[in-house]
Amino acid sequence: MRILLFVLLLSLCIAPKDTVSIEKIEPVEKRPNIIFIMSDDHAYQAISAYQDNLIQTPNIDRLAIEGMRFTNACVTNSICAPSRATILTGTHTHINGKIDNHFPFDTTQVTFPQLFQQNGYKTAMFGKLHFGNSPKGVDEFMILPGQGNYINPDFITTNGDTTRIEGYTTDIITDLTLDWLQRESNDEEPFMMMYLHKAPHRPWWPRPDKFAEFYTKQFPEPETLFDNYENRGTAAKTAEMNLLHHMMYNHDSKVRPETMARMGEKATPKVNEYNNGFYGPYNRATEKQKSQYEPTLDAINQFFEENWPTMNEREKMQWKYQRYMQDYLACISSVDDNVGRLLDYLDDSGLAENTIVIYTSDQGFFLGEHGWFDKRFIYNESFKTPLLARWPNKINAGTVETKMVQNLDFAQTMLEAAQIKAPDHMQGESLMPLLLGEGDDWDRDAVYYHYYEYPSVHMVKRHYGVVTEEFKLAHFYYDVDEWELYDRLKDPNELKNVYHDPVYQDTVKSLKTKLANLRRQYKDSEALDQKFIERYKAKK
Ligand code: SGN
Ligand code: CA
């Protein structure tokens, strides 16, 4: 494997540098290296620095202990590729055009790695990007095509080839990252590295040892696991992301298609014909790897066959929740181990001192809250995202920042840290004052959100909204015209829409004004909403 990697990396030719016109500023002090770590669908509830009853993540937690933890970081559009487009461009998705996972990303736009590259930084990217096109502004990359695979993944390389590497994706992405750091980091030029995990994205295939380990564990259920969506709008009731009704037995819960076929009617209700959801990912494994997965698969399948027919609905939900958490958290355990490998390398090589390490996810995720998996909604678990940042001697250790920040702010933050001027069209704000403990004048009191991917998988309706510390107001549109208001302080689980409650009518009025102002400020409009709907219909 190491030899293969070496030959492969040797054969990579360096991509021509992209040309974008930017203003150069002479750095006044030694510029820091930056490592931007992003996992895919990593809920803050599954990082022990945020919530410690599901999993211990001692390595990721180091960033909180040695740096800053943001408790109110959120995304502008809770879905993968749009979030990445916002991070790369520093603009809302209606501006950069990547409003959903389907439409291609317009690569003529300036992305922040290009600015680093133009300003004397070495740049690299390893892992999941999730655009159909190759990243610009990175000297070297190895990215997963599309969603990528957990087992023996393929990678697109800088010279345009696709190559398969045997092993487990989270380990391999880290091997590639460490290998690049060993080869390329030096004292003269700073670097900006994007280290991007596929895990813990669906379908959750852990490494075999973690699969076995986590199958023995049981996890506490969230308060709202059995939510019946009363007192909410149509969107919550019609979304297709309920563990009992929409999570797939083969694809997600690892019930073999043969087990279900043998059980026949006893496997009902809602047996889905999604065999390839199981064998698509699993058949990538070698015979040796399969022999490591088989004992756990046998145990799961035996349990299912023996118990499922006599379980009631509640028990079925509980079983599916446990299966979900076992595999999702096992994937995260590998992420945490590998973040530990990276942090150890930074310590041992002496790089840690002058390197900013950021840890985030492309959005949040439901871990059974409201009975759901997946994301998309403006509701807390998917709207918020983890954000940790360590920068020795700059960020005070163990600090907690409660201000509302967004993935929209990341590009400008990293650019300012590197003393590179951000283009004026970027729409976020640099988080540097907050990181340096100088945030007294930070005056953002509301953030804007807009989700578009509907009708599509999981059927979460289009909506936009405004979120303040106290309230959340959202407008669902397209095939409904419904408003929802949540009192975040009185109803933290967002179980009661108070939009029509007479007590809240002044709040509704003032938030609608705030929302209209934000839409104007960020250049969003009904005309744009309509344009994106027409574009969607034209493609269908
Ligand atoms: C896949 C998943 C969905 C998920 C989307 C988007 N299905 O379609 O559950 O919502 O990706 O996720 S699966 O068959 O691949 O498991 S995103 O993070 O890329 O936006
Ligand atoms: Ca994602």
Side-chain angles (χ1 to χ4, degrees):
M1 155 81 200
R2 277 191 185 284
I3 293 174
L4 179 78
L5 206 68
F6 180 73
V7 174
L8 195 90
L9 292 167
L10 243 167
S11 70
L12 288 178
C13 61
I14 302 306
K17 306 226 169 188
D18 302 300
T19 42
V20 281
S21 88
I22 39 118
E23 196 176 320
K24 292 194 182 180
I25 297 180
E26 280 309 308
V28 291
E29 55 179 283
K30 189 168 168 59
R31 297 181 299 174
N33 306 308
I34 297 178
I35 300 184
F36 180 81
I37 313 175
M38 186 158 71
S39 45
D40 192 357
D41 294 356
H42 192 170
Y44 58 86
Q45 309 92 293
I47 294 180
S48 42
Y50 283 93
Q51 182 179 311
D52 65 1
N53 65 348
L54 289 176
I55 187 170
Q56 292 301 314
T57 50
N59 296 298
I60 297 171
D61 287 7
R62 270 186 65 187
L63 300 174
I65 294 163
E66 296 165 12
M68 181 173 277
R69 178 170 67 95
F70 288 83
T71 57
N72 278 303
C74 66
V75 295
T76 64
N77 181 352
S78 180
I79 184 151
C80 200
S83 168
R84 289 152 200 266
T86 288
I87 290 168
L88 286 174
T89 62
T91 58
H92 274 278
T93 57
H94 60 272
I95 298 294
N96 64 51
K98 188 76 185 144
I99 55 158
D100 59 28
N101 276 343
H102 306 310
F103 280 91
F105 177 67
D106 169 7
T107 56
T108 61
Q109 306 181 72
V110 176
T111 56
F112 84 81
Q114 289 165 278
L115 304 176
F116 274 85
Q117 194 183 53
Q118 295 275 316
N119 277 277
Y121 266 74
K122 291 187 144 208
T123 55
M125 180 188 284
F126 296 104
K128 177 173 170 182
L129 174 64
H130 198 181
F131 290 165
N133 24 41
S134 304
K136 284 192 172 171
V138 283
D139 305 336
E140 192 172 312
F141 65 81
M142 297 268 283
I143 54 169
L144 301 166
Q147 296 282 11
N149 272 288
Y150 279 107
I151 305 172
N152 305 335
D154 294 328
F155 286 89
I156 302 169
T157 70
T158 321
N159 61 10
D161 293 345
T162 298
T163 181
R164 184 174 289 207
I165 302 181
E166 193 177 313
Y168 188 65
T169 208
T170 308
D171 297 332
I172 296 168
I173 293 166
T174 312
D175 293 343
L176 296 169
T177 300
L178 293 178
D179 181 80
W180 188 89
L181 288 171
Q182 271 156 7
R183 278 186 292 117
E184 297 294 335
S185 66
N186 61 48
D187 264 353
E188 287 81 58
E189 296 155 295
F191 65 82
M192 194 287 295
M193 151 75 75
M194 300 187 81
Y195 165 49
L196 309 171
H197 283 295
K198 174 200 168 50
H201 191 273
R202 194 184 182 203
W204 308 281
W205 277 95
R207 208 173 62 178
D209 55 333
K210 301 274 185 192
F211 188 43
E213 180 192 338
F214 278 71
Y215 182 57
T216 64
K217 296 181 194 263
Q218 290 287 301
F219 300 94
E221 292 169 5
E223 271 174 61
T224 58
L225 183 63
F226 297 96
D227 193 350
N228 58 8
Y229 316 116
E230 265 175 15
N231 304 315
R232 246 67 48 78
T234 311
K237 297 181 178 74
T238 54
E240 297 182 355
M241 43 200 245
N242 182 277
L243 296 182
L244 183 60
H245 301 298
H246 308 108
M247 188 166 262
M248 293 171 171
Y249 296 93
N250 308 145
H251 183 60
D252 298 312
S253 305
K254 319 277 183 315
V255 180
R256 293 185 184 111
E258 295 80 359
T259 305
M260 302 193 75
R262 205 168 40 238
M263 289 168 69
E265 285 300 300
K266 287 187 186 155
T268 55
K270 293 245 179 191
V271 172
N272 40 55
E273 305 289 330
Y274 203 23
N275 296 0
N276 199 41
F278 181 89
Y279 284 115
Y282 186 58
N283 277 345
R284 298 181 66 86
T286 61
E287 289 310 311
K288 187 168 170 232
Q289 289 166 331
K290 281 186 178 168
S291 71
Q292 297 166 335
Y293 280 108
E294 288 297 305
T296 311
L297 285 171
D298 287 346
I300 293 168
N301 279 268
Q302 191 185 341
F303 183 91
F304 185 84
E305 194 161 355
E306 287 172 6
N307 296 283
W308 188 261
T310 56
M311 283 181 184
N312 62 33
E313 294 275 289
R314 188 179 178 85
E315 290 164 339
K316 286 178 175 173
M317 178 64 145
Q318 290 174 317
W319 184 81
K320 284 186 103 175
Y321 168 74
Q322 294 300 337
R323 279 282 42 252
Y324 170 32
M325 283 301 93
Q326 286 158 355
D327 294 352
Y328 177 90
L329 296 170
C331 290
I332 286 173
S333 179
S334 282
V335 172
D336 189 64
D337 289 352
N338 278 287
V339 168
R341 287 176 65 203
L342 176 78
L343 296 181
D344 286 349
Y345 177 77
L346 295 180
D347 285 344
D348 296 345
S349 62
L351 282 170
E353 174 105 352
N354 194 37
T355 300
I356 303 176
V357 182
I358 296 168
Y359 188 92
T360 191
S361 172
D362 59 345
Q363 7 70 204
F365 214 69
F366 292 101
L367 303 186
E369 298 89 355
H370 305 289
W372 285 334
F373 63 108
D374 213 66
K375 52 262 179 173
R376 299 159 194 270
F377 275 111
I378 195 172
Y379 307 140
N380 281 337
E381 292 80 3
S382 57
F383 163 75
K384 293 202 334 183
T385 194
L387 179 62
L388 309 167
R390 182 184 83 174
W391 189 1
N393 306 316
K394 294 275 189 182
I395 300 174
N396 284 332
T399 41
V400 176
E401 179 55 74
T402 59
K403 303 246 165 43
M404 282 188 293
V405 303
Q406 286 192 293
N407 58 351
L408 183 67
D409 304 320
F410 296 173
Q412 280 153 273
T413 306
M414 290 186 266
L415 289 167
E416 188 180 343
Q419 301 164 54
I420 301 170
K421 187 180 180 310
D424 292 339
H425 70 267
M426 286 192 174
Q427 296 182 305
E429 273 183 69
S430 166
L431 305 178
M432 279 290 275
L434 302 181
L435 294 172
L436 301 178
E438 297 161 359
D440 291 349
D441 298 334
W442 179 268
D443 59 359
R444 181 187 282 160
D445 65 350
V447 294
Y448 180 59
Y449 181 86
H450 200 154
Y451 170 79
Y452 296 85
E453 196 181 284
Y454 178 87
S456 185
V457 58
H458 300 301
M459 296 302 278
V460 173
K461 292 187 190 295
R462 290 174 193 234
H463 58 292
Y464 57 82
V466 54
V467 182
T468 66
E469 273 168 28
E470 276 181 274
F471 296 103
K472 188 174 287 182
L473 176 76
H475 180 218
F476 292 82
Y477 67 100
Y478 184 82
D479 53 3
V480 287
D481 177 8
E482 289 180 10
W483 289 83
E484 295 184 18
L485 174 69
Y486 294 94
D487 185 327
R488 302 186 79 198
L489 304 181
K490 290 201 181 125
D491 176 25
N493 286 339
E494 302 170 314
L495 292 171
K496 189 159 191 264
N497 172 19
V498 292
Y499 180 79
H500 297 289
D501 185 331
V503 174
Y504 286 93
Q505 291 319 297
D506 287 348
T507 305
V508 166
K509 211 167 150 214
S510 72
L511 284 173
K512 279 196 170 174
T513 306
K514 207 178 257 306
L515 179 59
N517 290 342
L518 284 175
R519 269 165 75 83
R520 207 169 305 119
Q521 177 192 331
Y522 290 125
K523 302 188 172 63
D524 203 0
S525 64
E526 268 185 43
L528 262 185
D529 302 348
Q530 209 46 47
K531 187 185 117 184
F532 290 128
I533 289 172
E534 273 152 29
R535 191 176 78 165
Y536 170 83
K537 286 185 173 160
K539 187 144 188 271
K540 279 273 133 181

